[in-house]
Amino acid sequence: MNKLADALPHIKVSDAPEDLICYGFDASGIEIAPSAVVWPETTEDVVKIVKHAYANTIPIVPRGAGTGMTAGAVPSQGAIIISFEKMKRIIEIDQENLSVLCEPGVINGKLQRELELMGLFYPPDPASMHFCTIGGNVAENAGGPRAIKYGVTRDYVMELEAVLPDGEVIMTGVSTAKGVVGYNLAGLFTGSEGTLAVVTKIRLKILPLPEEVLTLLAIFPALESAGTAVSKIIASRILPRTLEFMDQETIRAVENFKPVGLPGNAEAILLIELDGHPSAITKEAEKIVAVCENLGAEVQMAEDEHARNRLWTARRAVSPSLYHLKPTKINEDIVVPRNKVTEMLMRLRKISEESGITIVNFGHAGDGNIHVNIMVDKKDEEEYEKGVSLVEKIFRETLSLGGTISGEHGIGLTKKPYIGMELSKKEIEIMKAIKKVFDPKNILNPGKIFPE
Amino acid sequence: MNKLADALPHIKVSDAPEDLICYGFDASGIEIAPSAVVWPETTEDVVKIVKHAYANTIPIVPRGAGTGMTAGAVPSQGAIIISFEKMKRIIEIDQENLSVLCEPGVINGKLQRELELMGLFYPPDPASMHFCTIGGNVAENAGGPRAIKYGVTRDYVMELEAVLPDGEVIMTGVSTAKGVVGYNLAGLFTGSEGTLAVVTKIRLKILPLPEEVLTLLAIFPALESAGTAVSKIIASRILPRTLEFMDQETIRAVENFKPVGLPGNAEAILLIELDGHPSAITKEAEKIVAVCENLGAEVQMAEDEHARNRLWTARRAVSPSLYHLKPTKINEDIVVPRNKVTEMLMRLRKISEESGITIVNFGHAGDGNIHVNIMVDKKDEEEYEKGVSLVEKIFRETLSLGGTISGEHGIGLTKKPYIGMELSKKEIEIMKAIKKVFDPKNILNPGKIFPE
């Protein structure tokens, strides 16, 4: 430790037990203490840290707010954690070119608010947006409810400043609207979970803020009809900005934790948001109401900001509220083609019934992205093992429907054992070879994503 | 040749002189005869061809319609050309999940028409859309006028089937709306100019067809005011679906070649298209008219399909019409930040005046993407050399304004000498190492993009 502090003068370094605890876990619940934590303030600081790690072959793990679900930011064995808490400047909001340049430690929600004040819009909105950082979003290629209409983080990354494992700094991508010079490294870094380079600056594309937003809540007596509604809405050529789904267990969990008046006897609700020109979205809303009502739903419209916020508070409370059902949540993040959502939910219900384990489902139905939560108690070893054993079964069903095992959470440590179910040996071999091109000493977040 | 035909029974193979001529050039004008041309009909055929090339270390170059501007599809020395003319099936249009699966030889314009009949929309629209193929679009990450609002090809690529140089087939990416499992190989292949893998199937995201389109033509007496209008439109929070620019020389060339009644004394025109809900775009059009008129422009509105087509015929005729000015066009494809378009056009005018060489500019002003055409006569050696010498100067000015040397044409052979002006040595070294991961024998479109 003294050695590290000596090697990095003027950079805050700690190996205090409380720091090693606080920076040793993320939202996956997995805990591995790092060897130290450092807080760079500039790219030059990051270069010094990385060069020291490279020279001494010490693993380094970049960390945003630790809201990741798959242990991507949990320390690799003996790793130094690079925390970006001090690199949180919004460097430039370029209104004429519609881009923003920022440091990785900027909180997503803070960036959203700053932009909204100027009539601008950064769409990706993970549920953790009020805590998670843009750097973490880039590492995981974060999505969020608005992905259905606006895409995910990668769709907004224009240019990245990145420190390579040997300490060299590159600026890759373009600060212009387009660019096709050489291979797409910025797109490769995005979603690489901190395994290829340490990102130190991020230029994001931004959009004009949509003129108006309209929120609908559709309450379905039957699960199947909610799934059918999702397909019908998309097939009717409407692209809502969110199309969120909560099943009965989720509704009850939220109502117990943070009551907002959702009906406990409904089998599913859809939270649908439209944005754009007032006449356009009013017309779209009418169509959606008709689709849902024909399927037996009761539809409410949130007319004002207060009503909208109430509904979104419920949606954002889902994740924490589930802990009131059971102490341990095995959290998956599958995606199936949109028109297979009903089928997948039916299969999940069957798996739950057969195993006797509660499975709670919610998520971005418009993307086919279902957050599947297997609710158990870790202290009940038998129950926990049974819960874990369902994961592979759920992934097998997902893949058989043409889906993917992770829509926005990444692989990290928790999904590493399953990656071979989706990717071929050849693909994994190529990806590991690409990792080696960037990181021949394997110091950057080692042990993540790929099985050894 | 007989050897090749023997090795590839049931696959059409030719080394007839007329085929070696026809498949030996692209729109760059560069000509290098291949050793043979093959026409696979299935992925299995491609596998056989690639395995033969791999075993015998013969270069292979995948080819769409040869509309590329930078010689990406021009044969590498001794190469076999893989023409995708027989692999042009639209395999599936999935209306519920908004995606289309097709083979690489499908013509972009044909796909557009098929989708439009179903109320669906594939936005990328290169000027050559009625000839160019989706496979070529993926190889070059093609853009087009609508990129300003809808992005480029890469924004639509969901999943690719690709044959690796050793003949192994991978399916990479996802058929779902989202997916973050492993590195983004589909995004890496897109824009890699056929140097990493031979793409054999492509799944593209599609959108609902916008309800209405409205086209405006703004005629500016002064070049500067057209540039200013572009900035002001974007800064006023309007995102048109196209914002095309033509300078005086371009207008005159088009009028000489295919008269549509454009005024020859204007210094610049902007062709602006809005799409969406009728009330929304009417309001936006009013704002745009006010911006342009305040800057001294005369604005016409194309109210019907006929008037719209007339204007677009003009825009699409630009490229061929320039040959009537001078027989040789040195065609560049720079991008600057949108608010630097005027400054760049001024610098181009100065370079033209100082050198005495005609430079014609048009392009996607809303993206800052200017197609710069240095007009010379190749037979006049002195003039040609002078023209070529301007390229580096233009790129230097582009980069000094924060731009990029290619927005949508790629690097191929023609821009290879200049790539080091934009990318660092380290970046090029990494990209070459990535190429080696995929293609250790360097048989896939060798000699393109990177200097030796």
Side-chain angles (χ1 to χ4, degrees):
Chain A
M1 167 59 196
N2 283 334
K3 215 182 119 198
L4 186 61
D6 290 347
L8 303 172
H10 315 298
I11 298 174
K12 189 182 162 191
V13 174
S14 170
D15 64 355
E18 61 274 24
D19 286 325
L20 302 191
I21 291 169
C22 288
Y23 291 83
F25 69 94
D26 69 1
S28 71
I30 294 176
E31 293 172 36
I32 300 168
S35 63
V37 185
V38 295
W39 288 266
E41 294 185 31
T42 62
T43 300
E44 294 65 42
D45 286 353
V46 175
V47 168
K48 283 178 201 157
I49 296 161
V50 171
K51 281 190 169 168
H52 174 81
Y54 187 77
N56 297 282
T57 320
I58 304 167
I60 41 180
V61 179
R63 182 184 172 94
T67 56
M69 295 287 193
T70 56
V74 166
S76 307
Q77 215 58 52
I80 299 171
I81 287 284
I82 305 181
S83 168
F84 282 98
E85 282 160 300
K86 286 174 183 280
M87 286 179 70
K88 56 175 182 188
R89 282 186 311 144
I90 297 173
I91 299 165
E92 177 198 28
I93 296 175
D94 183 342
Q95 298 198 56
E96 287 192 326
N97 295 302
L98 293 179
S99 79
V100 55
L101 182 69
C102 70
E103 291 182 328
V106 171
I107 306 293
N108 176 306
K110 184 181 155 58
L111 180 64
Q112 303 265 357
R113 284 191 302 278
E114 296 275 327
L115 290 171
E116 278 173 26
L117 290 175
M118 304 168 97
L120 297 167
F121 183 40
Y122 175 67
D125 59 341
S128 58
M129 63 186 276
H130 297 305
F131 318 99
C132 66
T133 65
I134 295 294
N137 292 174
V138 170
E140 302 296 316
N141 190 23
R146 296 180 199 142
I148 176 181
K149 178 166 183 178
Y150 290 105
V152 294
T153 305
R154 189 182 286 129
D155 298 312
Y156 294 86
V157 172
M158 297 170 70
E159 193 177 29
L160 297 174
E161 182 187 78
V163 181
L164 300 177
D166 62 359
E168 189 148 347
V169 181
I170 62 171
M171 191 70 160
T172 191
V174 284
S175 58
T176 50
K178 289 195 286 195
V180 287
V181 176
Y183 297 152
N184 177 26
L185 299 186
L188 184 64
F189 289 165
T190 307
S192 68
E193 308 193 24
T195 61
L196 298 178
V198 182
V199 170
T200 45
K201 283 195 190 78
I202 299 154
R203 184 179 294 278
L204 298 166
K205 183 171 94 169
I206 52 181
L207 298 175
L209 192 65
E211 209 168 336
E212 215 167 287
V213 179
L214 200 153
T215 307
L216 300 170
L217 179 76
I219 301 160
F220 290 85
L223 187 58
E224 296 90 325
S225 28
T228 308
V230 170
S231 289
K232 284 201 185 278
I233 290 167
I234 302 291
S236 72
R237 313 274 180 269
I238 296 170
L239 213 52
R241 84 161 182 180
T242 72
L243 219 174
E244 295 290 295
F245 162 85
M246 288 159 69
D247 74 359
Q248 190 167 43
E249 294 288 352
T250 311
I251 297 165
R252 287 182 183 160
V254 170
E255 282 299 315
N256 285 335
F257 173 65
K258 220 169 193 171
V260 295
L262 298 176
N265 62 340
E267 274 203 3
I269 60 169
L270 293 179
L271 182 56
I272 305 161
E273 214 162 65
L274 299 159
D275 69 6
H277 187 270
S279 344
I281 61 178
T282 305
K283 218 176 81 186
E284 288 176 349
E286 284 163 10
K287 274 198 211 170
I288 290 175
V289 169
V291 164
C292 294
E293 285 181 349
N294 278 342
L295 288 160
E298 183 205 316
V299 187
Q300 300 171 5
M301 199 177 300
E303 304 269 10
D304 59 27
E305 191 66 17
H306 175 74
R308 277 189 57 214
N309 282 340
R310 185 177 61 96
L311 296 176
W312 279 100
T313 305
R315 173 60 185 84
R316 292 196 199 282
V318 168
S319 213
S321 73
L322 296 185
Y323 290 108
H324 295 254
L325 281 181
K326 279 275 184 180
T328 312
K329 152 178 113 166
I330 304 170
N331 174 322
E332 302 306 335
D333 166 43
I334 59 167
V335 194
V336 291
R338 284 173 186 131
N339 61 349
K340 298 282 163 55
V341 168
T342 309
E343 173 65 23
M344 189 66 213
L345 291 171
M346 291 296 125
R347 294 191 189 186
L348 286 166
R349 182 185 273 179
K350 193 160 167 254
I351 290 172
S352 171
E353 281 166 4
E354 283 174 5
S355 62
I357 302 275
T358 304
I359 301 180
V360 184
N361 302 298
F362 66 94
H364 318 306
D367 290 331
N369 189 186
I370 310 170
H371 294 306
V372 178
N373 299 273
I374 304 165
M375 304 309 300
V376 289
D377 183 348
K378 208 165 186 170
K379 283 182 203 136
D380 180 341
E381 216 167 286
E382 198 189 319
E383 186 186 62
Y384 182 69
E385 288 304 316
K386 208 174 184 181
V388 169
S389 77
L390 299 185
V391 174
E392 195 178 324
K393 198 176 256 177
I394 292 168
F395 285 167
R396 214 179 304 124
E397 300 288 356
T398 304
L399 293 168
S400 80
L401 290 174
T404 176
I405 66 170
S406 183
E408 43 184 35
H409 292 172
I411 300 299
L413 286 178
T414 63
K415 290 194 186 133
K416 197 169 81 159
Y418 308 102
I419 194 172
M421 292 177 72
E422 179 163 342
L423 302 185
S424 67
K425 269 194 187 139
K426 183 74 175 189
E427 278 176 284
I428 294 174
E429 185 190 299
I430 286 171
M431 290 177 187
K432 287 169 96 166
I434 290 174
K435 159 90 170 146
K436 210 167 185 174
V437 164
F438 287 92
D439 185 20
K441 292 179 103 173
N442 196 29
I443 60 168
L444 249 181
N445 211 359
K448 306 294 170 68
I449 307 180
F450 308 112
E452 273 72 45
Chain B
M1 167 58 196
N2 283 334
K3 216 182 118 196
L4 187 61
D6 291 347
L8 303 172
H10 315 299
I11 298 174
K12 188 181 163 194
V13 174
S14 171
D15 64 356
E18 62 273 24
D19 285 327
L20 301 191
I21 290 169
C22 287
Y23 291 82
F25 68 96
D26 70 359
S28 71
I30 293 177
E31 294 172 36
I32 300 168
S35 63
V37 185
V38 294
W39 288 266
E41 295 185 31
T42 61
T43 300
E44 294 64 43
D45 286 353
V46 175
V47 168
K48 284 179 200 155
I49 296 161
V50 170
K51 280 189 170 166
H52 174 81
Y54 186 77
N56 297 281
T57 320
I58 303 168
I60 41 180
V61 179
R63 181 184 172 95
T67 56
M69 295 289 192
T70 56
V74 166
S76 308
Q77 214 59 51
I80 299 171
I81 287 285
I82 304 180
S83 168
F84 282 99
E85 282 160 301
K86 286 173 183 281
M87 287 179 70
K88 55 177 184 188
R89 283 186 311 146
I90 297 173
I91 300 165
E92 178 199 27
I93 296 175
D94 184 342
Q95 298 198 57
E96 286 192 326
N97 294 302
L98 293 180
S99 79
V100 55
L101 182 69
C102 71
E103 290 182 328
V106 172
I107 306 293
N108 177 307
K110 183 180 155 60
L111 180 65
Q112 303 266 356
R113 283 191 305 276
E114 296 275 328
L115 290 170
E116 279 174 24
L117 290 175
M118 305 169 96
L120 297 167
F121 182 40
Y122 174 67
D125 59 342
S128 58
M129 63 185 276
H130 296 306
F131 318 99
C132 66
T133 66
I134 295 294
N137 293 174
V138 169
E140 301 297 315
N141 189 23
R146 296 181 199 139
I148 176 179
K149 179 167 180 177
Y150 289 104
V152 293
T153 306
R154 188 182 288 129
D155 298 312
Y156 294 86
V157 172
M158 296 169 71
E159 193 177 29
L160 296 174
E161 181 188 79
V163 181
L164 300 177
D166 62 0
E168 189 149 349
V169 181
I170 62 171
M171 191 70 162
T172 190
V174 284
S175 59
T176 49
K178 289 194 287 195
V180 288
V181 176
Y183 297 152
N184 176 26
L185 300 186
L188 185 64
F189 289 165
T190 308
S192 67
E193 307 193 24
T195 62
L196 298 178
V198 183
V199 171
T200 45
K201 283 196 190 78
I202 300 155
R203 185 179 292 280
L204 298 166
K205 183 172 91 169
I206 52 180
L207 298 175
L209 192 65
E211 209 169 335
E212 214 168 286
V213 178
L214 200 155
T215 307
L216 299 171
L217 178 75
I219 301 159
F220 289 86
L223 186 59
E224 296 91 322
S225 27
T228 308
V230 170
S231 289
K232 283 201 187 278
I233 290 166
I234 302 292
S236 73
R237 310 275 179 270
I238 296 171
L239 214 50
R241 85 162 181 177
T242 73
L243 219 175
E244 295 290 294
F245 162 84
M246 288 158 69
D247 74 359
Q248 190 167 43
E249 295 287 351
T250 311
I251 298 165
R252 287 183 184 160
V254 170
E255 281 299 316
N256 285 334
F257 172 65
K258 218 169 193 170
V260 295
L262 298 176
N265 61 340
E267 275 204 0
I269 61 171
L270 292 178
L271 182 58
I272 306 161
E273 214 162 67
L274 298 159
D275 70 6
H277 186 272
S279 345
I281 60 179
T282 306
K283 218 176 82 186
E284 287 177 349
E286 284 163 10
K287 273 197 211 171
I288 290 175
V289 170
V291 165
C292 293
E293 286 182 347
N294 279 340
L295 288 161
E298 184 205 316
V299 187
Q300 300 170 6
M301 200 177 299
E303 303 270 10
D304 60 27
E305 191 67 15
H306 175 73
R308 276 188 59 214
N309 282 341
R310 185 177 61 96
L311 295 176
W312 280 101
T313 304
R315 172 62 186 82
R316 292 197 199 280
V318 168
S319 213
S321 73
L322 295 185
Y323 289 109
H324 294 255
L325 280 181
K326 280 273 185 181
T328 313
K329 153 177 112 166
I330 304 169
N331 175 321
E332 302 305 337
D333 166 44
I334 60 167
V335 194
V336 292
R338 287 174 185 127
N339 61 350
K340 298 282 163 55
V341 168
T342 310
E343 174 65 22
M344 189 66 212
L345 291 171
M346 291 295 124
R347 293 191 190 187
L348 287 166
R349 181 185 275 180
K350 195 161 164 254
I351 289 172
S352 172
E353 281 166 3
E354 282 174 5
S355 62
I357 303 275
T358 304
I359 300 181
V360 184
N361 302 298
F362 66 94
H364 319 306
D367 289 332
N369 189 185
I370 310 170
H371 293 307
V372 178
N373 299 273
I374 304 166
M375 304 309 300
V376 289
D377 182 349
K378 210 167 185 170
K379 285 182 202 136
D380 179 342
E381 215 168 285
E382 198 190 319
E383 188 186 62
Y384 182 67
E385 288 304 317
K386 210 172 180 183
V388 169
S389 78
L390 298 185
V391 174
E392 195 177 327
K393 199 176 256 179
I394 291 168
F395 285 167
R396 214 179 305 123
E397 299 288 356
T398 303
L399 293 167
S400 80
L401 289 173
T404 176
I405 66 170
S406 182
E408 42 185 35
H409 292 173
I411 300 299
L413 286 178
T414 63
K415 290 196 186 132
K416 196 169 82 160
Y418 308 102
I419 195 173
M421 291 177 71
E422 180 163 340
L423 302 185
S424 67
K425 270 195 186 138
K426 183 75 176 188
E427 278 176 284
I428 293 174
E429 185 190 298
I430 286 171
M431 290 177 188
K432 287 169 97 167
I434 290 174
K435 159 90 170 144
K436 210 165 184 176
V437 165
F438 287 93
D439 185 21
K441 292 179 104 174
N442 197 29
I443 60 166
L444 249 181
N445 211 359
K448 306 293 169 70
I449 307 180
F450 307 112
E452 274 71 43

